[in-house]
């Protein structure tokens, strides 16, 4: 098969880690008979340097005409970069919001998986970690409190700030469908997280999620209040498979879930639209402090490419091959500096990508 991928290398370590993800995709193409056509798109600081804005209409159009988007990261050193001496809507990160909106990406998926070999980096106690955990947080990305009406004004002589949390049933249904679709490919359990004991929006959320669940009899649904979920993530993370939740709860819970894996350079993410189209990127930022040194960990970006194969192209076998190669590279003790441990061999960004490609060849 042939696939068109818009590639946004971005800023900082972006170009280095994206280069390695493309190397792995090309190896998959060679081994499994696919061709990936890449079109480079500027976004973030590098787009500001050339066009004066973080994302041009043409760049967005190129992304729209592709089958999916692979993104490194955007942004510079916030305290010390000319990109930040401008209005917030002209800064590098504004490109992210614009592209998510322009592409209609409403479903954000962030897996939190504990690799046995990296268990020492997990801040949880051994008896809690047990055999590890493997969950995805499915967060609604374009509704709720972050997008509702807001204002600050004096009311009866007192300064008052108002933020509005709005969800309609269509917005809830489409994200719930995504969560159940993904659960069907995994351990077939959805935990829907809300605050239905207090919020109207959560009560509607619960009702619509239950309606959607009827179409997925093979998937088990349960509900959890968000405060309890925050506790359960650090008390018994193994109980979670797919966690379905609204925008702000998901923002907080997905950061909590990624922290308990203990390794920021390992965490991929995907943002999907109503169809198969998605934008795939590591969960970390552009790490300007280590850019250009060939020491960044490319694995989060390589695993994001694996998510692209699974969720946008339905290439489950190829995605699993990448994930297995990553596990193998870790079990062989090959590590970038951020996940280095005693007795392991330290490699740079390029060598890590090459090692994963070699394992793909050996495993085929
Ligand atoms: P960051 O994630 O870039 O870096 C945090 C720390 O983790 C740094 O010490 C960095 O060296 C390290 N790190 C991150 N990724 C790594 C990797 N792959 N391998 C090894 N070490 C890694 O977060 P930050 O420093 O808060 O932000 C830096 C810039 O990135 C800012 O401009 C911020 O706005 C931007 N940012 C962009 C995105 C995105 O593009 N989606 C997301 C978050 C932050």
């Amino acid at each position: 098969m042939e696939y068109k991928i818009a590639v946004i290398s971005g800023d900082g370590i972006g170009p280095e880690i994206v280069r390695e993800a493309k190397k792995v995709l090309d190896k998959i193409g060679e081994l499994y008979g696919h061709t990936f056509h890449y079109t480079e798109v500027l976004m973030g600081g590098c787009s500001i340097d050339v066009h004066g804005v973080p994302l041009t209409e043409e760049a967005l159009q190129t992304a729209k005409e592709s089958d999916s988007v692979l993104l490194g990261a955007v942004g510079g050193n916030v305290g010390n970069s000319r990109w930040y001496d401008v209005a917030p809507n002209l800064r590098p990160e504004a490109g992210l919001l614009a592209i998510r909106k322009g592409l209609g990406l409403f479903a954000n998926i962030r897996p939190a998986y504990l690799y046995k070999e990296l268990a020492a980096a997990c801040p949880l106690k051994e008896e809690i970690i047990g055999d590890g955990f493997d969950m995805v947080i499915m967060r609604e990305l374009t509704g709720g409190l972050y997008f509702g009406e807001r204002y600050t004004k004096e009311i009866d002589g007192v300064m008052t700030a108002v933020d509005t949390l709005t969800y309609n049933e269509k917005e809830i249904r489409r994200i719930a469908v995504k969560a159940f679709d993904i659960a069907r490919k995994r351990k077939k359990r959805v935990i829907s997280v809300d605050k239905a004991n207090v919020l109207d929006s959560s009560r509607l959320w619960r009702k619509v999620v239950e309606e959607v669940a009827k179409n997925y009899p093979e998937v088990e649904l349960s509900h959890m209040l968000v405060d309890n979920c925050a506790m359960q993530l650090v008390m018994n993370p193994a109980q979670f498979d797919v966690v379905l939740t609204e925008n702000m709860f998901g923002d907080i819970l997905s950061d909590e879930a990624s922290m308990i894996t203990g390794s920021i350079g390992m965490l991929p993410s995907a943002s999907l639209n109503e169809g198969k189209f998605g934008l795939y990127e590591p969960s970390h930022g552009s790490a300007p402090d280590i850019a250009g040194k060939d020491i960044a960990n490319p694995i989060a970006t390589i695993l994001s490419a694996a998510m692209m194969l699974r969720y946008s192209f339905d290439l489950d076998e190829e995605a699993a091959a990448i994930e297995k190669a990553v596990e193998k590279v870790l079990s062989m003790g090959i590590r970038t500096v951020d996940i280095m441990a005693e007795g392991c061999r330290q490699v740079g960004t390029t060598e890590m990508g090459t090692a994963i490609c070699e394992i793909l060849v050996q495993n085929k």
Side-chain angles (χ1 to χ4, degrees):
M1 289 285 288
E2 305 216 356
Y3 302 95
K4 284 195 291 187
I5 303 175
V7 175
I8 304 176
S9 295
D11 309 313
I13 59 170
E16 301 163 61
I17 53 180
V18 165
R19 187 192 61 222
E20 296 313 307
K22 279 166 65 183
K23 194 156 98 185
V24 169
L25 280 174
D26 287 338
K27 187 53 75 182
I28 285 285
E30 205 182 299
L31 296 170
Y32 292 82
H34 309 296
T35 309
F36 301 107
H37 301 284
Y38 308 108
T39 312
E40 290 287 337
V41 172
L42 289 184
M43 189 175 93
C46 55
S47 172
I48 296 175
D49 287 344
V50 177
H51 301 294
V53 289
L55 182 73
T56 61
E57 266 308 315
E58 294 73 39
L60 180 59
Q61 195 52 35
T62 305
K64 279 185 185 168
E65 286 162 7
S66 307
D67 298 317
S68 71
V69 181
L70 179 66
L71 166 65
V74 298
N77 190 334
V78 179
N80 178 26
S81 162
R82 63 190 179 289
W83 295 332
Y84 295 90
D85 292 337
V86 293
N89 66 329
L90 292 175
R91 291 178 188 167
E93 292 77 5
L96 282 171
L97 298 180
I99 200 164
R100 285 179 187 145
K101 185 158 180 262
L103 297 174
L105 306 173
F106 65 89
N108 180 246
I109 314 174
R110 269 170 69 170
Y113 179 79
L114 186 72
Y115 290 91
K116 265 198 320 283
E117 294 78 8
L118 302 183
C122 174
L124 303 178
K125 286 184 185 155
E126 250 175 60
E127 60 261 35
I128 290 178
I129 297 174
D131 291 332
F133 51 85
D134 175 5
M135 71 183 94
V136 299
I137 310 278
M138 170 68 81
R139 163 189 172 193
E140 203 289 328
L141 207 54
T142 55
L145 204 54
Y146 298 169
F147 289 85
E149 193 195 345
R150 76 187 75 244
Y151 55 87
T152 304
K153 67 177 180 190
E154 212 173 283
I155 300 177
D156 298 332
V158 183
M159 279 308 278
T160 306
V162 174
D163 295 289
T164 322
L165 200 178
T166 309
Y167 270 108
N168 67 43
E169 54 184 320
K170 285 187 188 156
E171 291 169 312
I172 302 169
R173 184 163 292 112
R174 65 182 186 173
I175 185 88
V177 166
K178 287 273 182 212
F180 280 92
D181 281 347
I182 281 170
R184 213 156 38 181
K185 288 192 171 199
R186 294 177 44 94
K187 287 173 279 173
K188 301 184 176 53
R189 289 203 317 267
V190 170
I191 295 188
S192 174
V193 174
D194 60 37
K195 189 72 184 168
N197 52 343
V198 179
L199 301 174
D200 263 31
S201 56
S202 283
R203 284 190 277 271
L204 181 63
W205 182 277
R206 214 174 252 222
K207 178 170 170 282
V208 175
V209 170
E210 277 172 5
E211 281 166 19
V212 171
K214 290 189 185 127
N215 298 325
Y216 297 82
E218 73 279 34
V219 179
E220 179 196 318
L221 168 70
S222 53
H223 301 281
M224 192 179 274
L225 294 176
V226 61
D227 37 357
N228 185 26
C229 182
M231 287 194 291
Q232 294 297 329
L233 277 173
V234 290
M235 278 168 47
N236 181 11
Q239 70 186 290
F240 296 103
D241 177 21
V242 175
V243 177
L244 163 64
T245 192
E246 61 92 59
N247 199 347
M248 184 182 63
F249 297 160
D251 189 5
I252 299 166
L253 295 175
S254 61
D255 266 13
E256 185 186 359
S258 60
M259 275 321 295
I260 58 172
T261 69
S263 43
I264 191 168
M266 301 289 300
L267 297 166
S269 84
S271 302
L272 307 178
N273 77 358
E274 218 125 357
K276 286 273 169 197
F277 188 91
L279 180 146
Y280 299 84
E281 58 178 322
S283 295
H284 58 73
S286 60
D289 52 330
I290 57 166
K293 296 183 178 160
D294 194 40
I295 59 170
N297 186 347
I299 291 180
T301 318
I302 290 169
L303 291 173
S304 302
M307 288 181 84
M308 174 189 292
L309 298 181
R310 176 171 290 120
Y311 295 125
S312 281
F313 305 158
D314 278 326
L315 299 177
D316 290 6
E317 188 190 344
E318 290 84 339
I322 296 178
E323 289 157 358
K324 277 202 195 88
V326 167
E327 272 185 37
K328 183 77 196 289
V329 95
L330 295 176
S331 69
M332 288 165 69
I334 298 174
R335 304 286 163 85
T336 43
V337 62
D338 55 308
I339 51 171
M340 186 57 192
E342 228 181 283
C344 294
R345 182 164 75 85
Q346 190 174 319
V347 297
T349 313
T350 316
E351 211 181 329
M352 179 58 94
T354 303
I356 291 171
C357 287
E358 283 169 5
I359 295 168
L360 282 172
V361 175
Q362 288 158 18
N363 285 355
K364 181 76 170 94

